[in-house]
Amino acid sequence: TLPCSCCLSLSLKNKQKKPIKIKKKRFFFHLHPVVFSMVEQNHSPGKELQHRTRAESPGKKNWHSQAYALGAVSNFMSTFLTFPIYKVVFRQQIHAMAVSEAVRQLWHEGPQYFYRGIYPPLLSKTLQGTLLFGTYDSLLCSLSPVGPHSLGHRWAAGLMSGVVEAVALNPFERVQNVLQDGRKQARFPSTFSILKEFNSYGLWGRLSLGYYRGFWPVLLRNSLGSALYFSFKDPIQDGLAEQGLPHWVPALVSGSVNGTITCLVLYPLIVLVANMQSHIGWQRMPSLWASAQDVWDTRGRKVFLIYRGGSLVILRSSVTWGLTTAIHDFLQRRYHSRKELKD
């Protein structure tokens, strides 16, 4: 790194120390033109952080561990805070009922059941954040080591990270959807009872009827959702950061807007997954097309009935992804600040 002006003047006065060679200065600009030009021209705090992480040397591997860790912590915190909203939305998707009726049903079951099923989503969402942010960062650095990253690079990295997420986390979502269905409480009172049921099937049955029931719509939903989120998260955040807003506001708004739009676009797939994965057992296990047709018929063959409960979906998506993005951005800033102090 270059010495500051005070150190440079002191070193010139001290004849015993070696004078600083001009070659080192030229060598710095030769190796790091991206860092110098971005810090010089861009005074936005959000962009400075983003460009600083993009311009790190491709040979360094420290971005791997910190990306996975930050994703895990941010998703854990946002999931714990927004789980009550999620459970009300799930009841709407399964029973096609109003918000007040879903809340009344949960209240009638008792407070002891209100957080029933929180452990699978808490674990799955923590793993989701670990895989989603970590895999995306790894793939993005592989596609474009130096940056700036284009829209195509962000889209491809987000799409592939969504595929990894779907393969790894579909079993968790499957167990979670069975637990949260009020009709299954008597037969399957715990996670262990559901796992015991799945393990009683044959090898193919464990995959197709058990842990990976509804995998194809989950794969399509997660891959497209991740691609949309990561493609537009940074541009929106950068545009808001230029307005001189506090550091947490651009990240919060960017995550909220992206989460809301993505969830509304993919909401029919969310309803289809919830209905497919609520079925359990060998009997009455409809195919993908039959499940989609059943959802369409149950909703009276009307699009607005499929989107019933959309108000809560907007609220949940806005809060969840807004908190996740803001917490992730805050932790990332803290990490880079500590790293600069150590250096």
Side-chain angles (χ1 to χ4, degrees):
T1 58
L2 281 175
C4 63
S5 59
C6 295
C7 295
L8 182 60
S9 61
L10 289 174
S11 61
L12 291 175
K13 291 180 180 179
N14 192 348
K15 295 181 179 180
Q16 295 179 355
K17 294 183 179 180
K18 294 181 180 180
I20 295 177
K21 296 181 180 181
I22 303 299
K23 290 183 179 180
K24 285 188 177 181
K25 197 171 184 179
R26 294 177 180 174
F27 184 67
F28 174 84
F29 289 113
H30 178 70
L31 279 180
H32 301 279
V34 178
V35 177
F36 180 76
S37 61
M38 286 182 177
V39 176
E40 188 76 17
Q41 297 174 4
N42 185 4
H43 301 286
S44 170
K47 284 190 175 182
E48 285 183 10
L49 172 63
Q50 179 184 346
H51 293 316
R52 186 163 62 246
T53 55
R54 289 175 181 177
E56 286 184 355
S57 174
K60 294 182 180 180
K61 295 184 179 181
N62 57 352
W63 47 263
H64 284 291
S65 58
Q66 66 96 5
Y68 287 97
L70 296 184
V73 174
S74 58
N75 266 43
F76 177 89
M77 296 178 66
S78 62
T79 302
F80 183 81
L81 293 173
T82 59
F83 180 77
I85 303 175
Y86 179 86
K87 194 161 186 179
V88 174
V89 171
F90 179 83
R91 290 295 176 93
Q92 285 190 307
Q93 294 170 353
I94 292 295
H95 305 294
M97 60 179 62
V99 177
S100 58
E101 188 177 353
V103 173
R104 192 181 304 112
Q105 185 184 82
L106 290 173
W107 183 259
H108 179 73
E109 293 174 3
Q112 67 272 21
Y113 290 106
F114 197 71
Y115 272 87
R116 168 183 157 90
I118 189 176
Y119 295 110
L122 200 62
L123 179 59
S124 65
K125 292 298 182 182
T126 303
L127 291 176
Q128 179 194 33
T130 305
L131 292 174
L132 191 65
F133 287 95
T135 306
Y136 170 78
D137 188 80
S138 302
L139 292 171
L140 191 63
C141 290
S142 299
L143 294 172
S144 179
V146 178
H149 308 302
S150 65
L151 176 62
H153 290 149
R154 297 196 303 271
W155 177 272
L159 189 73
M160 289 185 285
S161 64
V163 171
V164 174
E165 174 196 354
V167 173
L169 301 181
N170 192 89
F172 293 96
E173 186 174 3
R174 167 69 160 139
V175 174
Q176 170 190 341
N177 284 335
V178 175
L179 279 174
Q180 292 185 134
D181 189 355
R183 299 169 295 184
K184 306 293 191 303
Q185 289 182 5
R187 184 182 175 190
F188 301 103
S190 64
T191 302
F192 177 77
S193 61
I194 299 173
L195 298 179
K196 184 178 179 181
E197 173 72 17
F198 290 165
N199 292 331
S200 66
Y201 305 157
L203 178 60
W204 177 248
R206 293 180 187 179
L207 298 177
S208 60
L209 302 177
Y211 296 105
Y212 281 90
R213 168 73 175 164
F215 172 71
W216 295 114
V218 169
L219 180 66
L220 183 61
R221 180 200 65 190
N222 288 15
S223 58
L224 290 179
S226 299
L228 288 171
Y229 172 77
F230 285 113
S231 294
F232 302 105
K233 177 177 72 71
D234 288 340
I236 295 176
Q237 187 172 344
D238 291 345
L240 293 172
E242 291 178 350
Q243 308 301 320
L245 298 172
H247 292 166
W248 58 272
V249 174
L252 182 66
V253 175
S254 175
S256 298
V257 171
N258 272 286
T260 300
I261 295 176
T262 300
C263 193
L264 286 178
V265 171
L266 302 177
Y267 187 76
L269 287 175
I270 297 174
V271 176
L272 178 60
V273 169
N275 281 269
M276 288 187 67
Q277 293 190 344
S278 64
H279 290 281
I280 193 169
W282 290 92
Q283 296 79 18
R284 295 188 70 254
M285 206 53 116
S287 63
L288 174 61
W289 174 253
S291 299
Q293 189 68 34
D294 181 65
V295 170
W296 179 247
D297 293 338
T298 305
R299 300 308 190 271
R301 296 177 173 269
K302 296 179 180 180
V303 176
F304 76 91
L305 289 180
I306 293 180
Y307 278 86
R308 187 174 186 177
S311 59
L312 274 184
V313 171
I314 294 174
L315 177 62
R316 185 194 68 180
S317 300
S318 298
V319 174
T320 301
W321 284 108
L323 286 175
T324 300
T325 308
I327 294 171
H328 184 271
D329 183 76
F330 171 76
L331 295 175
Q332 193 176 40
R333 289 181 184 279
R334 292 287 301 272
Y335 171 81
H336 285 284
S337 299
R338 292 180 179 180
K339 184 181 175 183
E340 287 179 353
L341 290 176
K342 290 181 181 179
D343 295 340

